[in-house]
């Protein structure tokens, strides 16, 4: 039921990246957490359709509870604080000027698998929450005026249907929120909350790209503090539950006219990113998982055609030859809000007879400029500090996107928040414009995506919504 | 130009870390150029990068011109030459005076130093 079609240049795997079970995608979440930045909430002249209905200070009150739910070891996101805690980090911390490049600390959740961690509490006798599993919502039913929801109609795989009635309804299923609103077209042919054709639009992810590499004159082990991969090894040896990402300052973003972004390092050996080595990994991975490799002949051909690089990488890995070690730069960027980047309904039907999603994920010139200029800022900062040099691969805004642009499976937008119904699906309280008792929670309401991991921010938004509903219902 | 060549040249020039190595200056260059070339511990690697630079900036293929551009105003330095070059290089990065050679983002000053080894 999660399967969907992708059209357009950039594809994502919507089947693999979403989990349709209790606890949702926290089931395979990596656990990195950091709050959004202040500028993410601001209307930035150089970022069309930017700006939230409220400033970050309003969400700040909800973060402590969100950190608690995500089981964070601390609420301190200051790099100076963590340098004081960890001698190892202190010795390896890259001494940045702050402008144009500063730091953004991300803290590590265990990660919290919400379905496992909170299942028992919800099952306790006397709990005011009833959980129904396998009740797939297939329609939001409303009154004749479509300004009040009356019930949710659900359907199981066995075909059994139910109707759930309540005073207030909250949709909380990522980009499926938009699908449900579009599918619920009995009263409004274009779907609920869609009088201005905004439902499904402004789909965003985090533009993620491994491109370029760094040659740094830094102590061994430095990269592990700046990498999302392999940090667990470091955590086993010392108490340092954080990652220090490199981030263009707010002022640099404005000067360069770019989106928010952060950069990580990934340590690997020369040759590991070549098509031959990647094909060999693909074959090995499938064999390890007990599957017959798909496209075996094609992949073997790629390995043979790239044999010298494959052998070099294997040799370097096996003997740990540091002269072949490289630091790849991984860019993780806010995506520009774009009305044409969207989800809609296709003609194919899922197992419940519902029209499947079709995704048209679009990246625009501002997204491209952000990667390229951030790269330049980083190169100049490292050079200026005498820290090292950067080799860039993708350096022209007129070039097409290189292969390997990824979404990090962070799907946002499609029921975005705005005080203006022509620009957003929900208002500042996350209530669907024009419908009195229908709310939306999750990343789908975010008007901009920031350059941070999504989960803890979604939880903070849910805490804020809970506060609003508590006061409304009391 | 590969990573190891750049590493050799940059480290040798003391521009990433370390200190100047023993003098191995070329003979047919002006006195200031000789001093600059003493900063290089791996002239072979520097020459390869320098040639790549000169392909883009052929009008600078002249030792005297390169020395003037590397040293800046006055053309000579009495004190610590390495520090002077490193400061010029930092200023280049701060001002965006960089050049990409095989994708590597280098300061104009360091690229010219390598070019000096190549002319």
């Amino acid at each position: 039921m999660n399967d969907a079609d992708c059209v357009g240049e950039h594809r994502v795997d919507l089947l693999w990246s979403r989990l349709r079970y209790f606890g949702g995608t926290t089931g395979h979440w990596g656990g990195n957490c950091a709050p959004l930045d202040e500028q993410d909430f601001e209307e930035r002249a150089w970022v069309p359709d930017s700006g939230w209905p409220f400033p970050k200070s309003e969400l700040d009150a909800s973060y402590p509870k969100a950190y608690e739910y995500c089981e964070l070891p601390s609420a301190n996101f200051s790099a100076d604080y963590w340098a004081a805690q960890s001698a190892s980090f202190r010795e390896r911390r890259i001494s940045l000027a702050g402008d144009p490049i500063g730091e953004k600390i991300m803290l590590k959740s265990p990660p919290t698998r919400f379905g496992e961690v909170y299942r028992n509490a919800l099952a306790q006798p006397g709990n005011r929450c009833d959980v129904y599993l396998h009740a797939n919502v297939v329609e939001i039913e409303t009154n004749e005026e479509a300004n009040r929801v009356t019930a949710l109609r659900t359907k199981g795989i066995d075909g059994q249907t139910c109707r759930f009635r309540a005073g207030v309804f909250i949709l909380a299923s990522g980009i499926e929120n938009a699908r449900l609103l579009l599918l619920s077209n009995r009263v409004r042919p274009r779907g609920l909350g869609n009088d201005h054709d905004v439902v499904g639009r402004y789909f965003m992810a985090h533009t993620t790209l491994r491109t370029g590499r760094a040659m740094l004159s830094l102590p061994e082990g430095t990269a592990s503090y700046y990498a999302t991969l392999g940090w667990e090894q470091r955590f086993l040896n010392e108490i340092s539950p954080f990652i220090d990402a490199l981030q263009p300052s707010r002022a640099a973003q404005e000067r360069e006219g770019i989106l928010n972004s952060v950069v990580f390092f990934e340590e690997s050996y020369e040759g590991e990113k070549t098509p031959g080595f990647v094909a060999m990994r693909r074959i090995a991975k499938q064999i390890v998982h007990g599957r017959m490799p798909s496209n075996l002949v094609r992949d073997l051909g790629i390995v043979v055609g790239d044999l010298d690089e494959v052998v070099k990488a294997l040799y370097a890995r096996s003997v740990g030859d540091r002269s072949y070690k490289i630091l790849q730069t991984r860019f993780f960027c806010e995506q520009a809000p774009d009305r044409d980047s969207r989800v809609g309904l296709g003609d194919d039907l899922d197992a419940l007879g519902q029209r499947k999603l079709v995704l048209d994920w679009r990246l625009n010139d501002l997204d491209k400029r952000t990667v390229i200029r951030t790269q330049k800022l980083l190169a100049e900062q490292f050079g200026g500090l005498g820290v090292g040099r950067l080799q860039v691969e993708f350096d022209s805004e007129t070039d097409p996107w290189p292969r390997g642009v990824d979404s990090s499976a962070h799907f946002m937008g499609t029921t975005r928040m705005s005080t203006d119904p022509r620009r957003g699906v929900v208002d500042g309280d996350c209530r669907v414009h024009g419908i009195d008792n229908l709310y939306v929670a999750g990343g789908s309401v975010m008007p901009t995506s920031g350059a941070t991991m999504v989960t803890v921010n979604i939880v903070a938004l849910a805490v804020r919504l809970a506060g609003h509903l508590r006061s409304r219902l009391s | 130009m590969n990573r190891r060549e750049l590493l050799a040249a940059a480290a040798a020039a003391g521009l990433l870390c370390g200190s100047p190595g023993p003098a191995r200056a070329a003979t047919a260059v002006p006195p200031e150029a000789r001093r600059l070339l003493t900063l290089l511990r791996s002239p072979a690697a520097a020459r390869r990068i320098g040639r790549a630079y000169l392909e883009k900036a052929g009008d600078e293929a002249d030792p005297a011109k390169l020395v003037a551009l590397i040293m800046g105003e006055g053309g000579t330095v009495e004190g610590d030459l390495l520090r002077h070059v490193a400061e010029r290089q930092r200023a280049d990065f701060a001002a965006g005076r960089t050049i990409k050679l095989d994708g590597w983002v280098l300061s104009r000053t360091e690229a010219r130093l390598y070019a000096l080894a190549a002319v």
Side-chain angles (χ1 to χ4, degrees):
Chain A
M1 284 180 281
N2 269 352
D3 201 7
D5 289 330
C6 285
V7 295
E9 183 187 356
H10 304 286
R11 309 276 169 129
V12 297
D13 186 339
L14 289 167
L15 182 59
W16 168 87
S17 56
R18 301 185 295 161
L19 299 176
R20 201 180 178 100
Y21 60 54
F22 185 59
T25 38
T26 63
H28 63 189
W29 166 46
N32 300 315
C33 295
L36 290 156
D37 296 307
E38 278 177 22
Q39 68 264 30
D40 298 329
F41 294 76
E42 295 168 3
E43 190 171 339
R44 290 160 285 167
W46 64 98
V47 182
D49 288 315
S50 58
W52 290 45
F54 51 84
K56 177 169 182 280
S57 56
E58 191 171 319
L59 197 58
D60 279 343
S62 303
Y63 277 119
K65 201 78 186 162
Y67 300 156
E68 200 181 304
Y69 285 135
C70 292
E71 303 177 287
L72 292 195
S74 167
N76 198 319
F77 289 86
S78 152
D80 289 342
Y81 170 81
W82 288 105
Q85 303 300 309
S86 164
S88 171
F89 176 53
R90 203 158 52 243
E91 287 162 18
R92 290 168 176 79
R93 183 180 177 193
I94 301 174
S95 170
L96 295 158
D99 184 24
I101 300 292
E103 295 161 278
K104 185 174 178 75
I105 289 285
M106 301 194 177
L107 296 179
K108 201 79 180 173
S109 161
T112 309
R113 308 295 180 207
F114 277 51
E116 295 169 15
V117 173
Y118 297 111
R119 180 182 291 263
N120 285 345
L122 291 168
Q124 288 296 318
N127 187 290
R128 293 168 65 193
C129 220
D130 294 322
V131 178
Y132 295 85
L133 302 176
H134 307 294
N136 305 289
V137 179
V138 291
E139 187 182 1
I140 304 162
E141 297 180 342
T142 66
N143 59 7
E144 288 294 313
E145 293 76 31
N147 59 12
R148 188 163 180 82
V149 176
T150 53
L152 298 179
R153 189 164 63 81
T154 69
K155 192 173 180 183
I157 280 290
D158 56 4
Q160 190 182 340
T161 60
C162 286
R163 195 165 264 115
F164 287 81
R165 298 183 195 284
V168 168
F169 297 84
I170 307 167
L171 306 180
S173 55
I175 57 173
E176 291 290 316
N177 294 335
R179 183 184 178 202
L180 264 174
L181 290 169
L182 294 171
L183 285 170
S184 304
N185 57 2
R186 195 190 300 260
V187 179
R188 289 277 197 270
R190 295 213 295 192
L192 293 175
N194 200 25
D195 292 351
H196 299 281
D197 187 23
V198 187
V199 173
R201 293 187 180 274
Y202 298 97
F203 171 89
M204 300 174 293
H206 281 123
T207 319
T208 309
L209 182 63
R210 290 170 178 84
T211 184
R213 50 192 186 163
M215 182 182 70
L216 303 182
S217 175
L218 293 167
E220 174 77 4
T222 298
S224 73
Y225 288 98
Y226 297 87
T228 51
L229 298 176
W231 82 274
E232 295 88 347
Q233 201 56 41
R234 168 166 59 82
F235 188 47
L236 290 176
N237 299 325
E238 59 159 329
I239 306 301
S240 51
F242 63 88
I243 297 164
D244 192 13
L246 307 172
Q247 182 181 38
S249 65
R250 163 75 169 79
Q253 289 173 35
E254 183 165 6
R255 279 196 306 270
E256 298 284 335
I258 57 176
L259 298 153
N260 201 352
S261 67
V262 292
V263 183
F264 303 103
F265 292 133
E266 283 181 6
E267 214 163 22
S268 64
Y269 288 94
E270 279 185 37
E272 283 190 341
K273 307 291 180 190
T274 58
F277 197 88
V278 171
M280 191 193 66
R281 265 201 170 145
R282 208 161 33 230
I283 296 169
K285 197 172 165 184
Q286 292 181 77
I287 290 172
V288 166
H289 285 90
R291 293 198 301 265
M292 181 64 190
S294 52
N295 302 314
L296 180 62
V297 175
R298 190 199 65 183
D299 278 348
L300 278 175
I302 297 172
V303 173
V304 171
D306 222 3
L307 203 55
D308 55 337
E309 292 293 334
V310 172
V311 169
K312 193 167 72 180
L314 283 174
Y315 164 77
R317 276 172 69 92
S318 61
V319 301
D321 188 337
R322 279 180 50 77
S323 65
Y324 284 91
K325 241 180 185 178
I326 59 167
L327 274 184
Q328 187 152 43
T329 37
R330 179 177 174 227
F331 295 82
F332 178 94
C333 309
E334 173 186 13
Q335 183 184 339
D338 185 339
R339 190 178 159 80
D340 293 329
S341 180
R342 64 182 299 190
V343 298
L345 299 177
D347 295 327
D348 292 345
L349 303 181
D350 68 11
L352 299 173
Q354 301 284 91
R355 289 170 70 188
K356 287 184 183 178
L357 272 181
V358 174
L359 169 63
D360 185 356
W361 178 33
R362 296 194 187 187
L363 297 173
N364 64 29
D365 290 347
L366 182 52
D367 296 303
K368 208 182 268 186
R369 189 185 315 147
T370 297
V371 175
I372 289 169
R373 302 243 174 125
T374 299
Q375 200 170 224
K376 179 174 168 285
L377 291 174
L378 204 60
E380 290 174 355
Q381 174 87 116
F382 282 173
L385 292 171
V387 169
R389 300 288 180 274
L390 236 64
Q391 185 184 34
V392 303
E393 296 163 328
F394 174 45
D395 67 348
S396 169
E397 292 176 33
T398 56
D399 284 351
W401 282 97
R403 287 178 64 188
V405 177
D406 181 42
S407 68
S408 282
H410 292 173
F411 308 138
M412 293 162 281
T414 69
T415 63
R416 75 195 312 256
M417 200 191 307
S418 172
T419 51
D420 181 351
R422 290 164 304 179
R423 295 179 62 213
V425 176
V426 301
D427 65 15
D429 292 325
C430 295
R431 186 179 63 81
V432 175
H433 283 294
I435 304 180
D436 182 51
N437 62 341
L438 181 60
Y439 290 83
V440 180
S444 69
V445 302
M446 291 169 66
T448 55
S449 62
T452 184
M453 307 303 167
V454 196
T455 303
V456 80
N457 292 288
I458 289 175
V459 176
L461 281 166
V463 170
R464 178 177 174 272
L465 175 58
H468 168 77
L469 290 175
R470 195 180 298 119
S471 58
R472 173 178 165 162
L473 296 175
S474 66
Chain B
M1 175 176 57
N2 63 32
R3 187 180 64 101
R4 272 178 291 281
E5 283 172 348
L6 180 66
L7 189 64
L15 299 176
L16 282 178
C17 60
S19 56
R24 290 180 60 190
T27 51
V29 289
E32 285 300 335
R34 290 184 192 200
R35 282 188 69 208
L36 283 167
L37 290 171
T38 64
L39 300 179
L40 300 172
R41 264 184 291 181
S42 177
R47 270 196 295 276
R48 277 195 289 276
I49 303 171
R51 278 197 288 269
Y53 176 72
L54 291 172
E55 277 176 27
K56 291 192 171 187
D59 61 323
E60 292 183 17
D62 167 42
K65 190 170 187 176
L66 283 167
V67 167
L69 288 166
I70 294 166
M71 300 294 237
E73 212 168 300
T76 59
V77 174
E78 293 300 323
D80 188 337
L81 186 62
L82 173 60
R83 178 175 295 176
H84 177 74
V85 172
E87 277 168 10
R88 297 266 304 159
Q89 172 193 281
R90 268 194 286 277
D92 280 350
F93 279 116
R97 287 190 298 269
T98 57
I99 184 160
K100 280 187 217 110
L101 297 179
D102 194 22
W104 290 101
V105 182
L106 305 179
S107 93
R108 284 271 173 181
T109 297
E110 70 181 310
R112 284 168 177 149
L113 181 58
Y114 304 145
L116 191 59
V119 292

